[in-house]
């Protein structure tokens, strides 16, 4: 872990100063690690070099807000929860989860491209950014895009930065699309009454929801272990969030209740619980916050058509772990606290290797978002580099010819 | 400026050129290579009739292998080329301003493959937006970006321009619906970018390729996300004295916390044009602006939303406001709106379509400025907008037979774009930079930023052969 904790730390108070300091580091060939709140610090391989930690902590304000345009310009170091509380006063929100990890920054969110359950309705960070300011490793300050939601002038450089894990440039500011706060929030929890019951009936319901008029803002399946960790009874559960005007939310909730009680098409009876407003929010906060506390977090992403196949492998796993999966978006996560025992480790290595092979064979990816060092030594963080890795390397070269920004953290050793 | 010039392929001698043509004929067959002047003339213009250019040859490959081989040959001989879909682009992007070769993708149009699980579609580049939408509709879905040119424009063109449409306000533009691309890069390499799986590790090359206007390579297949058809739709037509009240209504609807699928506006002159066309709505003569608002989603929630919109319109002094009674009426309103560009032909021998973006709330002020520009240049300007997202389409009417009017129209367009940039907006919301707005790019980006964008372009096209002279100023 040492490589990720450089000896020197800088915390510039303006983009201007940040650019000067970056330029200096560039001319002295020092490796720089940009840092927001540090909540995803372990994501990616451990950097091969680290001389300077560049904290965005002091670039943490709202730069401009145009509520009538549904956009806000924020500095990259601003904490997500601070942004949400600011917007809330104006009846708006940035449509990712309302409360993420305390301190996690907007810059970090964009650099990791992280998304939660609500991607089902609102998309991922790439859909929510209209403009950006950033500084290249040699200190050149640039912008791309603007405050308006439609802008196709020139090349979409900002898209390269979203999800680039701080390997191309330092994000200093972003224009974000915001939304009006919904009038109502409700979460319907459908669970299998049979404590060790199969999850198949839940999947049937999930597919029916996706195929009919429903417009859930989030829908996630939790296995019994995951359910316990977020404070529910230990049954496999399908959590469906409904947001919007009272009439549409009520209509959808009532239809779900009818399905559950009549158990149409489902052989296993389902029980239904309803969480309203704050209770609904609290559930999703727990969902996004508690589960990732585990020392091992594995993300699997596959096309929905391949989801059943992967699910089958996951269900049959012998390794102790909690699992959540989004049947509407194809991201599945496993959370575990593997013991250091050799046998345990071997089981994990074996399982992850198999699951990764299967995932990659159908065009998906398995990423170790967080993992104990012993496991990382045997299972790579990113897996097989994509077919376009050479183009990615060439792009990295144009941004960072000396390879000084987060060196080695990213895909294919970038 | 109006006359197309016969361009010369960079560095190819006559003899070398003949050899290149022969090699390409060997790959695609002689019926797929157009060199006769009369046939090439068809490719002299695209939807923007202000900037023209003549290619030396047009090639119509039938499959991806042919595309790849053709690009390799062109690359080996350093011959400039550009990809072309239906040529409906409005910024001169599909015009061979430097001569060279046009690779027409019209024949790459296999059946749309729809996967209900996703739901998603795999589409060949020559398939039109409407064909994709028809295929999707048959399964209960739609493809959200819906340019008004959807009858003709291709998915390849849509990807290259990051096209929008009337329903972007809620549903987003092309890039928001694109999962992956198959491309042949300008250096002749076949590559898969992105894919149907979510969160693939690596840089978002798909996102970068979208909107690159054919300067990085050829799109040979797109994997797009489809959307479920909403359970119900309500369409409201509101007639106002003028654009000011209509604009205020748009702002108030947003302020009330609603996010309609579409909010479209036309001013009087635009209405005059469409009312002479085949889809007449019958706007009263005293109406100065019409607003078309559509909300969709769960049926139970819509009556309330539609009522709320009607109330907001009334609050802003609406002359008349109606909710479409049936699908036929709704379709008529939309057809009336979607034919606005072409309808200018009913009012003027020539017209020039502009495309700029402003923050939505600045609409009334900017419209006044556009009116001043109209007076200043002595040209009538009709206005059609995607009002919900501040995307303006001023339609500048001129007569090419009158000396100097074309130049004036171009200058008036540029003046409008300048206002857009001053308001913090953009020189283009969906039609692209093409050849038309290269110089205006300087208003958006510094020389250093433009040079850096050029460096990223060269990653894909080191020789500068793919659609040269477009997007970036020279
Ligand atoms: C709903 C939701 C729930 C989440 N829950 C959790 C959770 O429970 N636990 C958890 O660990 N994560 C969670 N995440 C992910 C986390 O919130 C985001 O990835 C994120 O906001 C990280 O921000 P940070 O400031 O902490 O980033 P950091 O950890 O500081 O940095 C992450 C990476 O981004 C780079 N980076 C940071 N800032 C910049 C910048 N300005 N420019 C360039 N590169 C930069 C860093 O170099 C580093 O590689 C969640 C995300 C979402 C959307
Ligand atoms: C009446 C009318 C209404 C319009 N309305 C709208 C609207 O509402 N919204 C909107 O966004 N646009 C609109 N447009 C503009 C235009 O239709 C779009 O830009 C469309 O996407 C162009 O598609 P095309 O197939 O005609 O492309 P072309 O005009 O042939 O080409 C456009 C650009 O794309 C490139 N290109 C084409 N195919 C490929 C490929 N396979 N690979 C790589 N590059 C390629 C070309 O090189 C060129 O730079 C309208 C145009 C007209 C004439």
């Amino acid at each position: 872990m040492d490589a990720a904790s450089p000896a020197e730390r800088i915390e510039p108070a303006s983009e201007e100063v940040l650019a000067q300091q970056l330029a200096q580091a560039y001319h002295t060939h020092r490796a720089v690690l940009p840092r927001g709140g540090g909540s995803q610090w372990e994501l990616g391989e451990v950097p091969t070099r680290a001389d300077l930690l560049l904290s965005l902590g002091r670039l943490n304000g709202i730069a401009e807000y145009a509520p009538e345009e549904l956009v806000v310009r924020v500095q990259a170091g601003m904490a997500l929860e601070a942004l949400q509380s600011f917007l809330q006063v104006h009846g708006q929100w940035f449509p990712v989860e309302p409360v993420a990890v305390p301190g996690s920054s907007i810059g970090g969110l964009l650099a990791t491209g992280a998304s939660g359950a609500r991607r089902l309705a609102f998309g991922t960070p790439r859909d929510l950014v209209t403009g950006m300011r950033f500084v290249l490793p040699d200190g050149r300050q640039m912008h791309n895009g603007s405050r308006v939601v439609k802008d196709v002038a020139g090349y979409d450089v900002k898209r390269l930065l979203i999800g680039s894990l701080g390997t191309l440039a330092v994000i200093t500011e972003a224009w974000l699309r915001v939304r009006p706060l919904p009038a109502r929030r409700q979460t319907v929890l459908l669970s299998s009454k049979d404590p060790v019951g199969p999850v198949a009936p839940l999947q049937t319901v999930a597919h029916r929801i996706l195929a009919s008029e429903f417009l859930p803002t989030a829908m996630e399946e939790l296995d019994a272990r995951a359910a316990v960790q977020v404070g529910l009874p230990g049954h496999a559960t399908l959590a469906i969030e409904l947001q919007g005007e009272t009439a549409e939310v009520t209509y959808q909730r009532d239809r779900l209740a009818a399905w559950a009680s009549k158990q149409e098409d489902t052989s296993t009876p389902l029980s239904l619980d309803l969480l309203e407003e704050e209770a609904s929010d609290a559930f999703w906060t727990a969902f996004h916050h508690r589960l990732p506390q585990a020392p091992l977090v594995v993300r699997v992403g596959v096309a929905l058509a391949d989801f059943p196949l992967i699910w089958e492998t996951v269900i049959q796993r012998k390794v102790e772990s909690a699992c959540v999966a989004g049947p509407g978006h194809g991201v599945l996560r496993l959370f575990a606290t593997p013991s250091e025992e050799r046998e345990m480790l071997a089981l994990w290595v074996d399982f992850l290797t198999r699951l990764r092979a299967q995932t990659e064979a159908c065009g998906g990816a398995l990423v170790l978002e967080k993992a104990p060092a012993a496991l990382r030594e045997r299972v790579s963080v990113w897996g097989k580099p994509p077919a376009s890795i050479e183009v990615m390397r060439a792009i990295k070269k144009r941004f960072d010819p000396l390879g000084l920004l987060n060196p080695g953290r990213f895909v294919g050793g970038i | 400026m109006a006359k197309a010039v016969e361009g010369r392929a960079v560095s190819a001698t006559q003899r070398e050129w003949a050899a290149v043509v022969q090699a390409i004929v060997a790959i695609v067959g002689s019926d797929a290579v157009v060199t006769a002047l009369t046939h090439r003339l068809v490719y002299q213009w695209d939807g923007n009739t202000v900037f023209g250019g003549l290619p030396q040859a047009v090639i119509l490959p039938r499959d991806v292998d042919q595309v790849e081989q053709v690009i390799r040959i062109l690359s080996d001989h350093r011959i400039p080329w550009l990809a072309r879909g239906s040529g409906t682009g409005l910024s001169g992007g599909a015009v061979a301003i430097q001569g060279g070769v046009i690779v027409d993708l019209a024949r790459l149009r296999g059946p749309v493959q729809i996967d209900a699980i996703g739901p998603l579609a795999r589409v060949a580049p020559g398939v039109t937006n409407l064909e994709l939408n028809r295929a999707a509709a048959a399964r209960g879905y739609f493809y959200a970006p819906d340019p008004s040119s959807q009858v003709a424009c291709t998915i390849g063109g849509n990807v290259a321009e990051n096209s929008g449409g009337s329903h972007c306000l809620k549903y987003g533009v092309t890039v928001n619906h694109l999962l992956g691309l198959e491309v042949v890069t300008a250096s002749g390499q076949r590559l898969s970018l992105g894919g149907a799986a979510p969160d693939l590790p690596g840089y978002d090359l798909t996102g970068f390729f979208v909107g690159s206007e054919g300067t990085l390579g050829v799109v040979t297949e797109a994997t797009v996300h489809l959307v479920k058809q909403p359970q119900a739709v309500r369409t409201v037509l509101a007639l106002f004295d003028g654009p000011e009240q209509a604009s205020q209504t748009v702002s108030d609807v947003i302020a009330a916390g609603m996010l309609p699928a579409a909010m479209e506006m036309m001013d009087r002159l635009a209405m005059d044009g469409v009312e002479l066309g085949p889809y007449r709505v019958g706007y009263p003569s005293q109406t100065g602006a019409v607003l078309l608002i559509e909300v969709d989603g769960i049926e139970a929630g819509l009556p309330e939303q539609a009522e709320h919109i009607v109330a907001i319109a009334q609050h802003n002094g609406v002359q008349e406001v109606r909710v479409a009674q049936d699908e036929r009426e709704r379709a008529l309103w939309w057809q009336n709106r979607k034919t606005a560009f072409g309808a200018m032909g009913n009012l003027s021998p020539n017209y020039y379509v502009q495309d700029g973006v402003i923050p939505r709330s600045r609409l009334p002020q900017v419209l006044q400025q556009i009116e001043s520009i109209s007076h200043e240049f002595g040209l009538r300007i009709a206005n059609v907008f995607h009002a919900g997202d501040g995307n303006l389409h001023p339609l500048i009417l001129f007569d090419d037979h009158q000396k100097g009017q074309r130049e004036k129209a171009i200058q008036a367009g540029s003046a409008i774009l300048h206002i857009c940039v001053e308001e913090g907006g953009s020189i283009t919301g969906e039609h692209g930079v093409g050849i038309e707005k290269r110089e205006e790019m300087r208003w958006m980006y510094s020389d250093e930023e433009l040079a850096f964008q050029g460096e990223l372009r060269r990653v894909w096209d080191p020789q500068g052969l793919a659609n040269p002279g477009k997007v970036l100023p020279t």
Side-chain angles (χ1 to χ4, degrees):
Chain A
M1 271 311 110
D2 277 352
S5 345
E8 200 185 331
R9 175 192 167 100
I10 49 173
E11 195 163 31
S14 70
E15 185 188 288
E16 200 62 40
V17 174
L18 185 151
Q20 284 164 11
Q21 292 175 330
L22 261 186
Q24 255 167 31
Y26 185 82
H27 291 119
T28 49
H29 290 210
R30 296 204 297 160
V32 178
L33 274 50
R35 181 173 168 115
S39 71
Q40 286 287 74
W41 199 240
E42 290 176 56
L43 181 57
E45 300 284 358
V46 177
T48 48
R49 281 178 59 202
D51 302 313
L52 200 58
L53 190 138
L54 168 56
S55 164
L56 276 293
R58 284 166 77 189
L59 291 174
N60 61 0
I62 302 271
E64 205 177 336
Y65 180 39
E68 70 287 1
E69 305 293 342
L70 302 179
V71 287
V72 64
R73 180 158 62 97
V74 298
Q75 292 185 308
M78 183 163 199
L80 180 57
E81 77 261 26
L83 173 65
Q84 300 291 24
S85 359
F86 171 85
L87 292 171
Q88 195 176 13
V89 176
H90 302 268
Q92 297 185 337
W93 68 310
F94 180 52
V96 296
E97 319 317 318
V99 187
V101 196
S104 75
S105 69
I106 296 298
L109 182 83
L110 302 183
T112 54
S115 64
R118 290 186 180 114
R119 65 183 291 156
L120 186 62
F122 306 112
T124 60
R126 73 200 280 266
D127 302 305
L128 301 169
V129 178
T130 70
M132 207 184 256
R133 289 197 59 82
F134 54 93
V135 183
L136 297 190
D138 65 5
R140 277 180 285 170
Q141 293 162 262
M142 300 207 169
H143 87 289
N144 188 250
S146 58
R147 63 185 291 165
V148 289
V149 292
K150 276 171 93 177
D151 179 359
V152 296
Y155 295 91
D156 207 343
V157 183
K158 63 182 181 297
R159 279 191 185 269
L160 290 175
L161 299 184
I162 300 172
S164 67
L165 210 59
T167 56
L168 296 179
V170 179
I171 300 167
T172 52
E173 231 175 66
W175 277 107
L176 307 174
R177 301 183 71 160
V178 299
R179 290 221 168 203
L181 275 170
R184 301 293 301 276
R185 284 113 51 217
Q186 292 194 344
T187 295
V188 175
L189 299 172
L190 293 176
S191 53
S192 166
K193 280 180 181 160
D194 179 353
V196 286
V199 277
L202 294 179
Q203 295 207 326
T204 309
V205 174
H207 287 129
R208 282 181 68 185
I209 290 172
L210 290 170
S212 49
E213 72 274 20
F214 287 86
L215 297 169
T217 43
M219 181 162 73
E220 299 281 332
E221 243 176 282
L222 296 82
D223 71 359
R225 265 215 175 77
V228 170
Q229 289 185 26
V230 299
L232 300 176
H235 309 308
T237 301
L238 182 68
I240 305 142
E241 188 193 47
L242 305 168
Q243 287 188 3
E245 295 297 321
T246 307
E248 50 185 324
V249 169
T250 309
Y251 164 85
Q252 296 179 78
R253 182 201 60 201
D254 291 350
R255 284 230 33 201
L256 284 176
W259 281 5
S261 63
K262 283 204 225 115
Q263 301 140 32
E264 298 165 33
D265 298 347
T266 58
S267 46
T268 318
L270 297 178
S271 64
L272 179 140
D273 282 292
L274 191 64
L275 304 173
E276 303 213 44
E277 312 301 325
E278 281 75 26
S280 171
D281 294 347
F283 167 78
W284 290 104
T285 304
F287 177 90
H288 289 106
H289 190 46
R290 278 197 216 154
L291 291 165
Q293 307 288 327
L296 173 61
V297 180
V298 180
R299 181 183 84 217
V300 180
V302 284
L304 287 178
D306 303 313
F307 207 65
L309 187 79
I310 299 300
W311 188 243
E312 204 53 42
T313 307
V314 169
I315 288 183
Q316 287 167 12
R317 69 191 183 278
K318 300 275 182 327
V319 285
E320 208 169 283
S321 55
C323 174
V324 304
H329 54 68
V331 179
L332 176 152
R333 279 190 174 84
L334 292 167
F335 307 94
T337 311
S339 71
E340 301 278 310
E341 269 172 64
R342 275 187 47 191
E343 264 163 63
M344 198 49 178
L345 212 59
L347 269 182
W348 267 107
V349 171
D350 175 61
F351 168 67
L352 290 174
T353 309
R354 261 189 309 123
L355 186 60
R356 174 171 274 164
Q358 206 175 22
T359 305
E360 288 179 351
C362 50
L366 181 153
V367 174
L368 299 187
E369 290 191 321
K370 212 165 151 194
L375 195 57
R376 276 178 189 236
E377 274 163 26
R378 314 214 4 223
V379 181
S380 79
V381 169
W382 302 106
K384 192 178 72 184
S388 51
I389 187 71
E390 288 314 321
V391 178
M392 293 180 188
R393 290 211 170 96
I395 284 173
K396 164 80 175 174
K397 263 227 149 66
R398 303 281 170 157
F399 276 91
D400 184 15
L402 302 180
L404 296 176
L405 212 53
N406 266 344
R409 249 217 218 280
F410 205 39
V411 180
I414 288 177
Chain B
M1 189 171 281
K3 249 185 46 223
V5 283
E6 174 102 20
R8 271 200 52 78
V10 185
S11 84
T13 63
Q14 287 301 348
R15 191 188 297 154
E16 190 184 358
W17 173 247
V20 168
V21 172
Q22 210 172 25
I24 291 175
V25 166
I27 295 162
V28 296
S30 55
D31 67 316
V33 179
V34 175
T35 49
L37 178 65
T38 46
H39 293 143
R40 281 188 288 138
L41 281 173
V42 178
Y43 292 87
Q44 191 176 349
W45 309 99
D46 64 3
N48 177 311
T49 50
V50 175
F51 307 94
L54 201 58
Q56 286 161 301
V58 179
I59 300 162
L60 294 110
R62 277 185 195 77
D63 56 38
V64 188
D65 287 337
Q66 292 188 352
V67 173
E68 185 185 359
Q69 292 176 58
V70 167
I71 302 297
R72 285 247 166 96
I73 291 178
L74 295 172
S75 173
D76 288 349
H77 294 271
R78 298 173 156 244
I79 293 173
W81 59 273
L82 64 90
R84 182 160 165 136
S86 295
T88 68
L90 289 168
S91 51
V95 171
I97 45 166
Q98 298 188 5
V101 168
I102 285 184
V103 180
D104 182 333
L105 294 146
R107 290 181 178 171
L108 261 74
R109 31 178 302 115
V112 175
Q113 297 169 43
I114 292 188
D115 199 335
I117 307 172
L120 54 87
R122 290 193 174 78
V123 201
V127 170
T128 66
N129 181 290
L130 189 66
E131 285 166 339
L132 168 58
N133 257 302
R134 289 226 169 104
R139 307 282 294 272
Y141 310 116
F142 70 107
Y143 173 63
D146 58 341
S148 304
S149 52
Q150 65 189 160
V151 184
C153 66
T154 65
I155 292 304
N158 288 178
V159 170
E161 299 286 7
N162 192 12
S163 298
S166 299
H167 291 80
C168 302
L169 177 58
K170 176 169 174 181
Y171 291 104
V173 295
T174 302
V175 70
N176 305 112
H177 297 273
L178 206 65
L179 299 168
L181 290 173
E182 297 293 319
V183 303
V184 175
T185 68
S187 28
Q189 194 192 358
R190 256 164 106 154
L191 271 185
S192 293
L193 312 178
D199 295 354
L200 290 169
Y203 302 135
D204 182 9
L205 300 183
T206 315
F208 189 74
F209 206 97
V210 183
S212 61
E213 305 192 26
T215 62
L216 307 182
V218 184
V219 175
T220 56
E221 187 182 275
T223 303
V224 302
H225 182 241
L226 300 176
V227 184
K228 265 189 303 200
Q229 277 166 6
Q231 187 183 25
V233 178
R234 288 286 187 290
T235 310
V236 178
L237 186 77
L239 310 176
F240 294 90
D241 292 345
E244 227 154 85
Q245 295 90 331
S247 305
Q248 193 56 49
T249 302
V250 169
S251 291
D252 291 350
V253 167
I254 297 284
M258 283 180 273
L259 192 63
M263 290 206 268
E264 299 280 304
M265 198 199 297
M266 288 189 284
D267 71 359
R268 183 69 238 176
L269 194 53
M271 281 188 273
D272 287 343
V274 285
E275 290 289 270
L276 290 170
Y279 304 107
R280 198 172 168 276
V281 169
Y283 302 120
S285 60
Q286 72 275 17
T287 298
V290 56
L291 191 59
L292 191 60
I293 302 186
E294 192 156 277
V295 287
D296 65 11
I298 301 283
E299 167 72 49
L302 294 189
E304 197 183 325
Q305 274 193 59
E307 276 165 36
H308 199 166
I309 288 168
V310 167
I312 289 173
Q314 280 164 345
H315 180 78
N316 285 303
V318 73
Q319 295 175 340
E320 190 186 330
V321 56
R322 285 187 265 164
V323 180
Q325 289 309 301
D326 50 31
E327 182 52 36
R328 203 192 48 80
E329 191 172 28
R330 170 181 178 246
L332 173 70
W333 293 352
W334 273 113
Q335 277 157 338
N336 176 280
R337 158 62 190 91
K338 288 203 170 184
T339 47
F341 293 179
M344 293 303 110
N346 300 326
L347 300 177
S348 166
N350 305 88
Y351 64 94
Y352 174 36
V353 180
Q354 257 305 352
D355 167 42
V357 193
I358 54 163
R360 178 196 310 114
S361 60
R362 302 291 298 164
L363 215 51
Q365 291 84 343
V366 170
L367 279 179
Q368 277 172 10
Q369 287 172 283
I370 293 180
E371 207 174 309
S372 320
I373 289 174
S374 163
H375 288 304
E376 186 186 330
F377 288 88
L379 297 172
R380 288 183 298 164
I381 302 179
N383 285 292
V384 179
F385 333 98
H386 305 301
D389 33 40
N391 192 180
L392 317 177
H393 289 316
L395 307 167
I396 305 167
L397 311 188
F398 67 97
D399 181 356
D400 222 358
H401 294 299
Q402 293 191 36
K403 208 166 167 267
Q405 278 221 343
R406 173 180 293 260
E407 286 69 24
K408 270 194 186 165
I410 294 171
Q411 285 163 17
S414 188
I416 293 171
L417 296 182
H418 201 254
I419 295 170
C420 293
V421 175
E422 283 188 334
E423 293 288 347
S426 173
I427 57 169
T428 170
E430 53 184 24
H431 297 167
V433 174
I435 164 168
E436 183 195 12
K437 298 180 180 177
R438 290 177 305 181
E439 282 308 313
E440 282 83 355
M441 278 291 282
R442 297 188 196 279
W443 299 343
M444 306 265 313
Y445 293 106
S446 69
D447 288 350
E448 195 173 69
E449 288 167 334
L450 291 169
F452 187 63
Q453 291 193 20
E455 277 185 48
L456 295 176
R457 174 177 179 164
R458 276 194 294 281
V459 164
W460 306 77
D461 181 19
Q463 303 188 90
L465 299 175
N467 216 356
K470 308 292 170 65
V471 185
L472 297 175
T474 37

